Amino acid sequence: MDIRQIELFIAAAEEQNFTRAARREHIVQSGLSVAIRALENELGAQLFARSTRRVQLSEAGRRFLPEARRVLLAVKAARDAVAALKGGLVGRLAIGAVQSLHPLLDLPALLQAFRKRYPMVEIVVRGNTFTDVLGQALRDGSLDLAFMPVSEVLPTGLAHDVLFSEPMVVVASADHAIGRRREITLPELASEEFVDFSPRMGTRYVVDQMFLLEGVTRRIGFEVENLELLFQFVRHGLGLAIVPRAIATGRDLAAVNLTPASGQPLPRWELGLFRVNIGGQLSANPAADTFRAMVEEALNRAPHSRSPEEPRRHCAPRRVGDQAVDDPGSP
């Protein structure tokens, strides 16, 4: 098995057509077919179910594809590591982020600083609402890093650094009665209607856990998959919502602190920087490791409070990254 065979297999899998794959890889179709047949013979399994118009991955092909991508990325990372010794950091950095990142961390400012310092690194950013989509993109190698909420059960095969830990607050329209309160318990909200996120979203998981631990049943009138849409529903009096405090800051809504009725601490919303777990702190991509270090530097320089029990967990009332544009390594 050689690297070229793997490249051709990935092209055929993505194009689902040998002619288009051959054109993409600048090879004649017969050469691509021979290479894939040789790969199948070596693996002892058929990777494609072929028809006259298209090819589809077999079960063996579906299982082989993410591993093939990882092999190709590892080879590229090895080449980039050697090239970096000659002329600085090179390669590609692919980052995913959920929409709730924006109020906490100024990702464009950090990327501007990174590009200024490492102009030979190609940067790709993918935004997505759903943590399961971003997690799968990390596992199949199409993303190097992803900013997303930390749930109680960590995605299989991934490691993460906790960047932010925020308490949850109730938000309501400006004229709602609870806006006059400084704090409230979940049992007091049992008769209220809620606007909430889709169950696929990490923030929804935290809210569900809060109500479960407090033994309170709530009524959800609306489910949305967009942060701004959720705030619009609340603003028009269609229900209450529970969101991280930092995300609620600066909006024309009433935000009320939640206190536990049971005496047990309420779950907090946490945002993490995720990567594939390969058994250590470093990844297969030097550019990803460098960007992770830059994020940590920006967090360490920004105003925040740290819990003695959780020294790596930051509470950030303002966005992080604004001071990291000119030189992320400066004191």
Side-chain angles (χ1 to χ4, degrees):
M1 182 186 310
D2 61 38
I3 298 303
R4 186 56 175 160
Q5 286 176 318
I6 293 176
E7 290 174 338
L8 296 176
F9 163 75
I10 292 173
E14 292 176 347
E15 298 293 340
Q16 296 187 353
N17 182 285
F18 278 13
T19 301
R20 289 197 301 269
R23 188 181 304 122
R24 166 177 146 181
E25 293 297 317
H26 308 290
I27 187 176
V28 296
Q29 181 178 333
S30 59
L32 182 140
S33 298
V34 168
I36 290 179
R37 285 287 187 191
L39 182 59
E40 290 176 322
N41 290 336
E42 185 172 347
L43 293 172
Q46 188 173 337
L47 299 175
F48 292 98
R50 296 163 173 82
S51 67
T52 54
R53 293 191 175 184
R54 62 185 299 189
V55 292
Q56 290 182 308
L57 286 171
S58 65
E59 179 60 29
R62 283 192 290 272
R63 294 192 178 196
F64 183 64
L65 180 58
E67 302 304 326
R69 284 174 170 152
R70 270 194 279 273
V71 168
L72 209 59
L73 286 169
V75 171
K76 185 177 184 299
R79 289 171 176 164
D80 291 344
V82 174
L85 294 175
K86 301 177 181 178
L89 197 64
V90 296
R92 182 176 183 269
L93 174 63
I95 299 172
V98 292
Q99 57 186 318
S100 51
L101 174 67
H102 178 69
L104 296 165
L105 186 140
D106 192 342
L107 182 59
L110 288 172
L111 292 176
Q112 180 189 28
F114 185 88
R115 171 167 283 177
K116 182 177 179 180
R117 201 168 181 185
Y118 308 107
M120 299 302 292
V121 176
E122 176 191 0
I123 300 173
V124 176
V125 177
R126 179 193 299 180
N128 199 290
T129 300
F130 303 119
T131 55
D132 57 345
V133 174
L134 293 175
Q136 184 56 44
L138 286 170
R139 285 189 288 271
D140 68 25
S142 56
L143 287 180
D144 299 302
L145 300 169
F147 295 92
M148 53 187 184
V150 179
S151 62
E152 192 70 22
V153 180
L154 296 179
T156 304
L158 302 181
H160 73 284
D161 304 314
V162 176
L163 304 181
F164 300 96
S165 179
E166 286 285 325
M168 305 291 280
V169 297
V170 181
V171 291
S173 59
D175 58 352
H176 196 285
I178 75 164
R180 296 188 291 271
R181 302 276 299 269
R182 295 193 61 181
E183 57 184 37
I184 198 167
T185 64
L186 292 180
E188 294 178 274
L189 300 173
S191 63
E192 298 285 349
E193 187 169 23
F194 281 85
V195 183
D196 213 330
F197 291 112
S198 158
R200 293 180 62 190
M201 300 179 68
T203 304
R204 170 66 179 271
Y205 178 87
V206 178
V207 177
D208 286 344
Q209 289 299 301
M210 293 176 68
F211 280 92
L212 180 64
L213 291 173
E214 293 286 289
V216 179
T217 301
R218 63 186 164 135
R219 182 160 53 96
I220 301 175
F222 305 93
E223 285 187 352
V224 300
E225 295 181 348
N226 180 278
L227 183 63
E228 293 306 320
L229 185 60
L230 179 138
F231 284 129
Q232 288 179 30
F233 274 59
V234 173
R235 193 173 290 115
H236 285 84
L238 295 174
L240 307 178
I242 297 180
V243 297
R245 181 174 60 191
I247 294 175
T249 301
R251 300 179 183 272
D252 55 340
L253 296 169
V256 181
N257 294 325
L258 282 167
T259 58
S262 64
Q264 298 296 319
L266 294 175
R268 295 170 68 94
W269 180 87
E270 295 180 335
L271 185 79
L273 181 54
F274 285 76
R275 64 190 185 281
V276 172
N277 185 0
I278 58 174
Q281 286 298 309
L282 298 180
S283 70
N285 185 350
D289 296 328
T290 302
F291 185 75
R292 278 180 60 210
M294 177 181 288
V295 171
E296 184 64 20
E297 288 174 9
L299 289 171
N300 287 335
R301 293 209 317 275
H304 62 268
S305 62
R306 293 187 179 216
S307 165
E309 295 81 14
E310 299 174 316
R312 290 180 60 83
R313 301 188 179 189
H314 305 257
C315 297
R318 56 182 292 282
R319 287 195 304 169
V320 172
D322 300 320
Q323 299 176 354
V325 174
D326 293 329
D327 181 5
S330 62

